[in-house]
Amino acid sequence: DIVLTQSPGTLSLSPGERATLSCRASQSVTNNYLAWYQQKPGQAPSLLIYTASNRASGIPDRFSGSGSGTDFTLTISRLEPEDFAVYYCQQYGGSPPYTFGQGTRVEL
Amino acid sequence: QVQLQESGPGLVKPSETLSLTCIVSGASIDKSNYYWGWIRQPPGKGLEWIGHIYYRGTTDYNPSLNNRVTVSVDTSRNQFSLKLNSVTAADTAVYYCARPYGGYILSWGQGTLVTVSS
């Protein structure tokens, strides 16, 4: 199985600052099939990015994804108050099981 | 817009079978070229993909669950189900039903907490 390692575990920032989240895979992710999700307390995750860099419908352009192979990044250009949450990456390349990273908490 | 809603017992005894159902609205489960799946999240922890079923019946499961999982579709009720047998405390989690699209998750249910305890 592909293991995804997210860093840092926690990111302490202020509104208006830039957030850079990393997701590293134990082996190359097929076709860069890597997604990012945001999860707020008590809620289900919601899709932000798919195939490494494609924003899901309705996602603001301050969210961007980049990377390929084994190294991927989610960038939030200017943090809004509603962006403080936990972020997960997920790989879905090749055969299941599809795996998730352990999450990065973006906190105030 | 597809909406998903989990239902089932919130408490299951160790060694018994966890059974959950996901009611689908906004799409016909047997007429859509969709996958339907389950993901879980132990309290305070990360996400684990459990498995999914293609609308025509093909399934894929997480091998880490040691063949304890069955996902099935009930087209007459427009819902799909999860069964996880021989549960232990390690299976305590929030269980989400989900609609994968090519592997990433487009739609999520709100989640239901299932506690394994005697």
Side-chain angles (χ1 to χ4, degrees):
Chain A
D1 300 356
I2 296 178
V3 176
L4 299 179
T5 302
Q6 292 186 240
S7 61
T10 302
L11 203 48
S12 298
L13 295 168
S14 300
E17 290 192 297
R18 182 184 189 90
T20 302
L21 288 67
S22 173
C23 177
R24 179 162 292 177
S26 60
Q27 56 189 275
S28 185
V29 177
T30 302
N31 296 325
N32 296 325
Y33 283 164
L34 192 287
W36 290 92
Y37 302 88
Q38 177 191 69
Q39 186 176 35
K40 297 180 180 179
Q43 297 183 18
S46 60
L47 178 69
L48 296 172
I49 301 287
Y50 62 95
T51 320
S53 60
N54 295 281
R55 268 189 302 276
S57 176
I59 301 303
D61 61 6
R62 65 179 181 273
F63 291 92
S64 63
S66 62
S68 64
T70 60
D71 289 299
F72 299 88
T73 301
L74 174 70
T75 302
I76 311 171
S77 59
R78 294 172 309 280
L79 281 164
E80 297 287 340
E82 61 268 28
D83 299 336
F84 292 91
V86 180
Y87 293 83
Y88 293 96
C89 57
Q90 178 217 4
Q91 68 79 24
Y92 53 97
S95 300
Y98 303 140
T99 51
F100 293 87
Q102 82 279 20
T104 290
R105 179 181 305 276
V106 178
E107 66 175 23
L108 191 58
Chain B
Q1 182 180 356
V2 177
Q3 293 188 316
L4 307 172
Q5 177 65 59
E6 304 89 352
S7 65
L11 181 64
V12 180
K13 290 182 168 54
S15 80
E16 295 190 346
T17 296
L18 179 160
S19 295
L20 295 173
T21 296
C22 183
I23 300 168
V24 178
S25 57
S28 179
I29 205 167
D30 66 341
K31 291 184 173 60
S32 305
N33 189 17
Y34 293 154
Y35 287 84
W36 306 97
W38 292 92
I39 291 159
R40 69 181 182 178
Q41 185 172 34
K45 296 189 178 179
L47 300 161
E48 180 180 32
W49 178 81
I50 297 172
H52 63 222
I53 185 167
Y54 189 49
Y55 80 111
R56 290 188 176 181
T58 306
T59 54
D60 279 300
Y61 301 129
N62 193 328
S64 71
L65 295 170
N66 299 321
N67 299 314
R68 298 189 293 128
V69 181
T70 302
V71 179
S72 59
V73 168
D74 184 343
T75 56
S76 66
R77 298 185 179 186
N78 213 45
Q79 62 189 36
F80 61 102
S81 298
L82 168 71
K83 290 190 188 300
L84 180 66
N85 57 38
S86 304
V87 297
T88 69
D91 295 310
T92 294
V94 174
Y95 285 77
Y96 296 100
C97 61
R99 180 168 76 89
Y101 183 79
Y104 60 87
I105 310 301
L106 263 184
S107 304
W108 299 72
Q110 65 182 28
T112 187
L113 175 63
V114 179
T115 302
V116 178
S117 175
S118 55

